[in-house]
Amino acid sequence: MSAGQDWEELREANRANWDERAAVHMRSRFYDVEGWLREEPGPRRREAEALGDVSGLRLLHLQCHFGLDTLAWARAGARVTGLDFAPAAVAGAREIAERAGLAERSEFVCADVYEAVEALGHARFDIVYVSLGALCWLPSVERWAAQVGALVAPGGRFYLHDGHPLAWALAEDRLEFEHPYFEEPEPLADDSGYTYTDSEGPLLNRRQYEWNHGLGETVSALLHNGLHLEWLVEHDWTLWPKFPWLVEAADGTWRAPPGRPRLPLSFSLLASRAN
Ligand SMILES: C[S@@+](CC[C@H](N)C(=O)[O-])C[C@H]1O[C@@H](n2cnc3c(N)ncnc32)[C@H](O)[C@@H]1O
């Protein structure tokens, strides 16, 4: 991190940014909360296939935002806990859980993911789950993996789907590298006030800090913290328009158009802890 700035200071800027974004996102067409309540979707097909029957399992979703992905797992039968550091996101998740009739099978905790073990009373989970847009808000992937490793119960599993570090390193509008591929102490400071949903104009809490983490750094951090890698897949698609030049496919994924090279835009992995 840059001289004179500590994690708490950067985290508070990110928290203010995400707190504001949570309210904007809950009203957005992108998340379509009313449609979600009507349609009652379960987990995404790929994720349901990867994790199988979750009935009765304890599932923890780290950086859960306002809980739509978390609650989809509750609908599939898991007992879910969502954790996020933005109070507006956690309040929104609790309200949506009530409206969806899933409050009895869900709990939402407001805490920094780096303090998750403590905030969750050293509980352990059958499944720890992390979905898109999580790692880039954290300066150290080792510190994150130490929390993940301590939260997976013996015999439990860890599922991650996140943006690909190679895509993170690219410039917005052209195929050129603009940012580091590897984790660096210096954050990328962004004052654009932009968010990825249809929004109502720039955010007031514009400043946000991000860090990249190479794929090897993320996998090694999980291995250092007691997990075993089951599989890792790099995808040529993502679930949000990461770049203005991506096109939406019929299945809702965002991909490079014909004529552009096929690049990794997201990745997913499954890891496990021995009994
Ligand atoms: C892109 S969103 C995750 C989106 C989620 N996959 C979804 O589509 O609903 C990232 C989330 O990470 C949370 N977050 C960022 N830094 C965090 C931290 N240090 N501790 C806990 N949550 C954090 C934000 O509040 C936000 O809700």
Side-chain angles (χ1 to χ4, degrees), residues 7 18 31 63 65 84-86 111-113 131-133 137-138 196:
W7 165 234
W18 273 109
Y31 280 102
Q63 295 175 248
H65 209 23
D84 201 281
F85 76 164
D112 181 356
V113 68
S131 60
L132 283 166
W137 307 107
L138 307 174
Y196 54 87

Side-chain angles (χ1 to χ4, degrees), residues 19-77:
D19 217 34
E20 187 181 350
R21 280 210 221 190
V24 171
H25 288 186
M26 277 185 279
R27 292 193 292 270
S28 68
R29 284 191 304 281
F30 181 94
Y31 280 102
D32 187 15
V33 171
E34 295 307 317
W36 186 91
L37 284 163
R38 256 192 329 273
E39 286 160 28
E40 305 188 342
R44 295 182 190 93
R45 188 176 50 78
R46 296 189 69 259
E47 299 182 354
E49 282 171 8
L51 292 173
D53 182 7
V54 296
S55 310
L57 297 184
R58 295 158 300 173
L59 181 145
L60 170 65
H61 181 184
L62 294 173
Q63 295 175 248
C64 67
H65 209 23
F66 50 93
L68 297 192
D69 289 355
T70 329
L71 292 168
W73 288 110
R75 202 171 267 133

Side-chain angles (χ1 to χ4, degrees), residues 10 16-17 21 39 57 59 62 81 108 111 115 117 127 150 154 161 163 166 179 200-201 219 248 255 261 271:
L10 305 181
N17 175 275
R21 280 210 221 190
E39 286 160 28
L57 297 184
L59 181 145
L62 294 173
T81 303
F108 290 93
E115 290 160 14
V117 171
I127 298 172
H161 180 204
L166 183 131
H179 309 293
E200 302 133 12
V219 170
E248 191 173 11
R255 295 166 184 267

